[in-house]
Amino acid sequence: MSVSTLSGPSTLTLRQLASGEATLEEAGHLSVSVAPGQWEELVGALESHGLGQAVSVEVHGEAPGDWPTDAQLARLVALGCVELRVPWVMELGEQRAEQSAHFVRLLRDCTSHRLRVRWRGAARPPIASWTLYHLEPPESGGTPELDEAARRWRQAHAYGRCYWRAGPGFMLVKDRREGRSATQFLLDDAATRSVFEALSVPKRVESLDTEPEARKALADLQEEALVLELGPWRVALPFRMRCWPVPFIAV
């Protein structure tokens, strides 16, 4: 993992934003720098000042830490956040299984909220790269050895390639990721829905339900690449469809 600065408008610290020092940048764009774990403070500062302008959030620090939750992302988007800038090269794989699982969760939820993520990196084996192509793609690999994998991800990415939506008593997953035939999965039994919902946040496999029905449901979800296996960590891959494209039949 390495660190570099991504270009963008001049950046305010969270303290400056909270104290009311926010000023309009290019085309009314504001950039704010936060450390991992400062997401509630950022939400509070944006709510207090009601800036009414596009906001870019730049994460800083020596290493990745806590990412915003799905609920925090929803609030940030509602308050005008349009992009999240990640300074580290993220090598997704088993060497950093926990870190990778949490970053995949972030990419999934940002894709759901249509929040752009500016990041560099790619997936390493044993992750099958195509399983992530529906998520926010990297701008580059960040290193020569990852550049080609990042390029393939960008080329294969399209919004709506693997998502879920809920109905009365069921969940429907639509999967059109490059690398497999278009498929729909109806999650209509309680065990499968429970496992899928539990893995909306990364969990260690030993913390999951050990009942036979739950174990079978997890195995089935992994076999269909709807759950990512990273060492002892598991996380659901389809994002929740919140922002339907026009025309909606495109997905």
Side-chain angles (χ1 to χ4, degrees):
M1 180 182 67
S2 60
V3 181
S4 71
T5 302
L6 294 171
S7 61
S10 57
T11 303
L12 293 173
T13 65
L14 183 56
R15 182 193 61 78
Q16 289 173 319
L17 176 66
S19 65
E21 296 181 32
T23 57
L24 285 173
E25 290 291 343
E26 54 191 48
H29 199 133
L30 181 73
S31 181
V32 183
S33 177
V34 301
Q38 289 187 314
W39 305 107
E40 277 302 310
E41 292 94 325
L42 175 61
V43 168
L46 291 172
E47 287 178 337
S48 296
H49 295 289
L51 300 172
Q53 62 194 93
V55 179
S56 294
V57 179
E58 182 174 318
V59 189
H60 68 84
E62 294 183 0
D66 292 337
W67 298 109
T69 65
D70 181 60
Q72 288 168 335
L73 286 171
R75 292 163 69 192
L76 288 170
V77 169
L79 290 165
C81 290
V82 295
E83 70 175 13
L84 180 66
R85 298 191 218 126
V86 178
W88 309 284
V89 174
M90 304 298 296
E91 298 183 27
L92 307 179
E94 288 190 342
Q95 281 192 319
R96 296 187 178 93
E98 181 177 4
Q99 181 186 101
S100 296
H102 283 279
F103 189 69
V104 167
R105 194 281 305 168
L106 174 76
L107 293 177
R108 186 201 67 207
D109 290 348
C110 285
T111 303
S112 176
H113 290 287
R114 300 295 275 157
L115 178 63
R116 182 186 180 193
V117 184
R118 294 183 60 186
W119 69 285
R120 296 163 301 130
R124 287 188 174 278
I127 297 177
S129 297
W130 67 266
T131 63
L132 305 181
Y133 284 167
H134 62 299
L135 305 179
E136 277 285 302
E139 294 188 330
S140 71
T143 65
E145 60 182 325
L146 294 177
D147 279 342
E148 178 58 24
R151 184 196 65 78
R152 289 197 300 269
W153 189 333
R154 291 194 306 275
Q155 189 175 52
H157 174 74
Y159 180 68
R161 285 287 176 90
C162 186
Y163 67 87
W164 68 271
R165 59 184 179 86
F170 71 90
M171 303 169 78
L172 182 67
V173 178
K174 190 169 183 179
D175 189 357
R176 297 169 52 247
R177 285 172 290 184
E178 185 167 309
R180 73 178 310 166
S181 300
T183 311
Q184 290 192 145
F185 301 94
L186 184 64
L187 312 185
D188 58 352
D189 66 278
T192 303
R193 292 200 311 274
S194 177
V195 171
F196 186 80
E197 289 171 348
L199 292 175
S200 63
V201 293
K203 287 186 170 61
R204 294 182 67 93
V205 67
E206 62 266 24
S207 72
L208 297 172
D209 191 341
T210 57
E211 291 296 320
E213 295 85 353
R215 292 166 65 94
K216 182 181 185 305
L218 177 61
D220 290 344
L221 290 168
Q222 288 178 183
E223 183 178 356
E224 297 296 347
L226 301 182
V227 163
L228 178 65
E229 177 182 357
L230 272 171
W233 290 88
R234 305 290 186 272
V235 63
L237 287 175
F239 67 86
R240 183 170 189 173
M241 179 61 78
R242 291 181 168 97
C243 306
W244 289 92
V246 178
F248 73 90
I249 58 173
V251 296

